Amino acid sequence: MVREVLPGVPVGTRVVVRYLIEEGERATDALGELVERGEGWLTVRTRKGDQRVETKDVVAAKPVPPAPERRQRRRGPLVG
């Protein structure tokens, strides 16, 4: 049986998905935009690229607020 993950959450929503890796020994997170969903899998676009996750490995998932605006790095005066 295929579990539905994030039911009712539309593609394009920012989400966090916790899923098992290393044959269930550890878990990791994918934080980003839900870009695709198929039969038994979903794809989250993270800062590092697209992460395809098998729904059977999902431990928890939820929508999250949009990412905060990136702040520009302040540069102090050059000392020379």
Side-chain angles (χ1 to χ4, degrees):
M1 178 176 144
V2 174
R3 248 177 15 149
E4 187 174 351
V5 175
L6 299 168
V9 175
V11 168
T13 302
R14 187 167 186 253
V15 297
V16 62
V17 178
R18 173 153 293 192
Y19 61 99
L20 300 173
I21 59 172
E22 298 174 1
E23 298 177 11
E25 294 294 318
R26 294 183 358 174
T28 191
D29 295 330
L31 171 65
E33 179 185 350
L34 177 63
V35 292
E36 205 173 9
R37 188 182 353 227
E39 187 70 26
W41 57 270
L42 52 93
T43 302
V44 178
R45 181 159 295 144
T46 70
R47 279 196 214 172
K48 295 180 180 180
D50 288 359
Q51 183 66 49
R52 185 173 168 141
V53 178
E54 300 296 320
T55 56
K56 67 179 177 51
D57 296 329
V58 174
V59 176
K62 66 180 182 179
V64 294
E69 298 265 337
R70 285 194 143 190
R71 294 174 49 182
Q72 286 191 0
R73 193 170 168 178
R74 282 204 253 176
R75 291 187 169 211
L78 294 176
V79 178

